[in-house]
Every structure is written in C-alpha cells, then in structure tokens.
Amino acid sequence: MTRIGKYHVTLIGVAALILLMSLVRIVSGQEDITSSGTFAAALLLAVPIALAGLGGLWAERAGVVNIGLEGMMVLGTWFAGWAGYQWGAVAALVAGLLGGALGGLLHAIATVSFGVDHIISGVAINLLGPGVTRFLSEVLYQEGTSASDAGAGITSSPAISSPAPSISLPVLSDGPDLLGRLENTHWFLLSDLAGILRGLTHDVNVLVIVAVLMLPLTFFVLWHTAFGLRLRSAGENPWAAESLGVNVYLIKYAAVVISGAFAGLGGVFLVFVSTKYVEGQTQGRGFIGLAAMIFGNWRPGGLTAGASLFGYANGLQLRSTGAVTTFFLFGAVLLLAYLVLQVRRLISADRPAELAATSARQYTLMALAALGAVILFWLWLTVGQLPDEFVYITPHVLTLLVLLVASQRLRMPKADGVRYRRGEQH
C-alpha cells in the first residue's frame, strides 16, 4: 500500500470512528462521549503519555529497552517544580528536560557502557527517581527555608511563578463561540464534530502544541534523515552499522539521553497543569506511555493512536461514570465490524483455494469475536452503574486488552535489548 493510500485509510478510519461515536451517543444518551469537556480532558491526559511513549520510541529504535521512563518522568517533575517556582515557566521547561535527560544518561551508562541488563537498569531508574526526589525535597523544602515559606512541603513544591499560557485556535475557538453553540444543539454528527474540535482547540496549553509537533518531527528525524537511519540501524543490527562506520556507542547514548529528555518533558507538562510539583503525580504514566509505544508498533503514528485511546478512556472516566459503560457498546460494535469484514472476505474468496487456506485459528478468532460481541452487548444492557473501583481501573484494563490484541502484529527492532560490544559479532 502506498503512503498516500495509507493516509486515505487513516482518514477513512477516523471518519468511521467519529460516526460510530455519534451513533453510540445517540443510542446511549451519554452526551459526554463527544463533549468538548471530555476531549479537552483527554488531550491533557494523552500528552504526557505520548511524550513518555516518544521517549521509549527513541531509545528502543536504537536498541535500548527503556522501562525506566517512569523514573525519568519523576525526575522531570521535581526539577521542573524546583526551577519553576524560582525562575518561571521557561526555567521549569529547561530543568525538567535536563532532569529527565540525566535519568537517560544514567540508563545509557549502565546499559551501553557497562552492559547491564536493560530491564534491571530500568527498574533501578524507576526506584531511584522517587527516592532521589524525596531526598531533595526533604533537604530543600524543609521548614524554615524560603521554599517552605512559599508554601512548599516535603511532598510538593511552591507554585510556579509564571505558568505557561494557553491559547485558542483562531476562527475555530477564538472570538464568538460558534463551536460551543453548535455542540449544544446535540444534532447527529454535527454537534459531535463541533464538540471534538472545540475540545481540541479551545484554551490549549502551549506545551500541548509543542508536544503535538514533536510527533511529526520525530517521524521526520528518524525516517528521513541520515542520523535517523543510523539510529534505526543501531537498533536493527549494530554490528552491520559498525561495519559501515557508524559510531554505535555514540548513537545509543544520544538516543537514550533524548529518550530521558522526552520523559522529562512529560513530567514538565504535569507540573504545568497542576502549577507545581506534587509527589506521585506521574501515576504510572511512564508505564502507560511504554504500552502506547508498543501498541503503536514502535512508530509515531501508532503511538499517537495508543496515547489518544488511553487519554480518552481516562477523560471519559473523569467526566462521567455512567458514560464508561458505553465502552461495552463500543467493543460490541467493533467486534461486529470485524466479523462483517471477515465474512465478506470469505464470501468474496475463490471457493476451493482461498477457503481451504483459511486456518482453524481464523475461524476460532471469528467465533470468539461473535461471543465477545454478545457478552459486551449484554453487559451494556444490564450494567446500569459500574462500581467506582471498576471505573477507576478501566484505563488500565483497556491498556492490557489493547496490548493483548496489538501483540498479534508487533515487530520490535531486531536488536532491541541486545548487549552490544564493538567487534564481538558481525
């Protein structure tokens, strides 16, 4: 399939998804499914996940597994909060980037230079990040210090002196609130489109725009520059790259430090949203970002889809407990669509050859899809109000289910996690 063809398929898929959401909203009566408030919340929740996922993408494309993203995000939040209350938003941004990059540098030293197992090093970073930040808070935010007088405590920093501004997109969300009025009509599809556009373009934090731009920039650098080609070659076959004159050690160091900086940027965003550092505010987003990257098959476009999915699930959970039950209806409709596509493929196949090639595994998957659709539809009809505990874990359950489905088609870089030593293998 050509690249233009892929873009067309993507646009058709997005249009079909919006149509499905509009239908589910009409059937269920849950207006929050496509409300501007839900999508504004989803955007804020998806950005730190996407930034952490980008961090994982840079490291793993160079062949270094980075499960230490959570610890690097924690370092980014603390340093952003510490610098932000003293010197403002720009200082918070720089300090957060440096804090995350420092975590990436430690991971690179351990894995690239000393050959430590990547998983062990990542776990150590995840333990080290909260420990170091707690120690620094106890030293710098103790009672009697200027930070304590400004409202800091052991578990939080003072508020940032000048938080990052928010802007609205001209024409769409600036001036007369045309999209808001159209959203309130609750018309089929039109009000849904208005709510989605308004949520994504009204009062958007500047750092959100920066984060969104990082996605196409990453794609361009990794797939359309000589540096990106060298980096990806280090993740596929570092010894072949070495034979072509690539400094694999330097490439891996650069990739992992950039990876940490992206995770730190995700931490900066969390600080900007809450206007200060708070202990534990990452809440596992580094791990979810890693899951989004795997769901996206180690590519920026798929990562964007994964982060958007997890952000939307969280946003809908925050906006409406009852609306979360519509995930059952979503799932049932998607499974039915899968069944229709599979049946259509079988009907259009040449009877003797292609039907014989259909494996028992495919028939089993179709049967499971049909059973799953029935069960999900029954749950949507019978479950009136989910328990609060189930609503809280919905995004995490969704993460596991998405990874389970996505694992059927994944292709990680061939040398991802492989210990590299110059000259050992060719």
Side-chain angles (χ1 to χ4, degrees), residues 242-269:
E242 171 195 319
S243 69
L244 296 174
V246 176
N247 188 336
V248 176
Y249 284 118
L250 180 60
I251 287 289
K252 286 179 177 288
Y253 259 88
V256 180
V257 170
I258 292 172
S259 170
F262 270 116
L265 184 61
V268 173
F269 180 80

Side-chain angles (χ1 to χ4, degrees), residues 41-224:
L43 184 63
L44 292 178
L45 292 164
V47 165
I49 294 173
L51 289 172
L54 276 178
L57 177 67
W58 275 83
E60 300 209 9
R61 276 294 175 179
V64 179
V65 175
N66 189 0
I67 68 167
L69 294 167
E70 178 74 8
M72 297 172 195
M73 284 189 79
V74 171
L75 290 172
T77 58
W78 191 90
F79 281 100
W82 172 75
Y85 91 89
Q86 299 180 87
W87 303 296
V90 175
L93 177 62
V94 174
L97 286 170
L98 292 177
L102 177 61
L105 179 61
L106 292 175
H107 189 49
I109 291 172
T111 56
V112 179
S113 295
F114 291 98
V116 175
D117 183 271
H118 298 191
I119 303 299
I120 294 174
S121 176
V123 171
I125 295 293
N126 288 333
L127 296 174
L128 187 65
V132 167
T133 54
R134 183 58 182 262
F135 170 76
L136 292 173
S137 293
E138 290 181 351
V139 171
L140 298 176
Y141 297 155
Q142 60 183 335
E143 292 186 13
T145 63
S146 58
S148 175
D149 296 338
I154 294 177
T155 59
S156 65
S157 70
I160 297 177
S161 58
S162 55
S166 296
I167 60 174
S168 295
L169 194 66
V171 180
L172 285 180
S173 293
D174 200 12
D177 193 6
L178 300 178
L179 290 177
R181 291 203 290 269
L182 184 57
E183 178 188 359
N184 291 331
T185 61
H186 304 301
W187 293 339
F188 174 72
L189 197 57
L190 287 178
S191 66
D192 301 288
L193 285 170
I196 293 171
L197 288 174
R198 187 173 186 274
L200 299 180
T201 59
H202 185 72
D203 269 347
V204 179
N205 191 288
V206 171
L207 196 56
V208 171
I209 300 173
V210 173
V212 170
L213 292 176
M214 289 297 104
L215 291 161
L217 180 62
T218 291
F219 175 75
F220 174 78
V221 171
L222 292 185
W223 274 270
H224 293 282

Side-chain angles (χ1 to χ4, degrees), residues 322-333:
V324 174
T325 60
T326 58
F327 279 122
F328 295 135
L329 185 57
F330 271 121
V333 174

